[in-house]
Amino acid sequence: MEEQKYSRRRFISKYILAGSVAIGTGLLIAGSSVSSMAKEGDSNQQPKTPQPAQKNPCDDLTGVSAEEVAKRKKLAYVNKTPIPDSHCSNCALYLPPAKDKPCGGCMLFKGPVRAEGYCAYWAPINN
């Protein structure tokens, strides 16, 4: 029996082999780009971890209860006023910072308050 020039078995094995080669090549390329990226940053140094931006102590709500944080949100407190002439430092409810403290406070809620902050209950100081 004479073998046919094009058999189904040869066709399938040829394309399985070609597919395997293509997948293997793709994996090699992807692996080499990852390893080259690792080598670029490797000069006998520890990997650099991003340093957090310097935090303002007035944003630290550690020790403030969840209820008080919710109250701040309900009163729409923000760190920077959207209204230039209305800010915490010229509000009747603002408590100026103590001598050794960087942040003020508020009569409406607990926790640190920025002087340039604002909330929906801003009240002008009556002189």
Side-chain angles (χ1 to χ4, degrees):
M1 187 159 135
E2 188 179 309
E3 189 176 326
Q4 295 177 350
K5 188 174 181 180
Y6 299 105
S7 73
R8 187 180 311 160
R9 194 172 284 163
R10 281 181 85 188
F11 176 81
I12 291 172
S13 65
K14 185 190 258 186
Y15 283 96
I16 288 176
L17 177 65
S20 298
V21 168
I23 291 172
T25 304
L27 290 173
L28 280 172
I29 291 171
S32 71
S33 67
V34 168
S35 66
S36 69
M37 286 172 28
K39 286 179 183 176
E40 287 174 7
D42 184 29
S43 52
N44 296 333
Q45 294 179 358
Q46 295 280 336
K48 294 181 181 177
T49 55
Q51 296 296 323
Q54 294 294 328
K55 286 196 167 193
N56 187 319
C58 299
D59 298 337
D60 184 11
L61 298 178
T62 304
V64 178
S65 70
E67 293 86 22
E68 289 297 324
V69 172
K71 194 185 295 186
R72 291 168 83 96
K73 288 181 183 177
K74 183 179 177 184
L75 297 174
Y77 173 77
V78 292
N79 291 331
K80 180 83 173 138
T81 183
I83 305 166
D85 294 333
S86 302
H87 43 83
C88 292
S89 64
N90 69 0
C91 175
L93 303 170
Y94 180 69
L95 303 169
K99 192 186 244 184
D100 57 341
K101 301 286 182 183
C103 311
C106 182
M107 292 182 196
L108 299 176
F109 52 83
K110 294 180 182 172
V113 174
R114 289 185 180 201
E116 64 273 10
Y118 174 81
C119 85
Y121 284 80
W122 178 84
I125 297 174
N126 295 326
N127 288 331

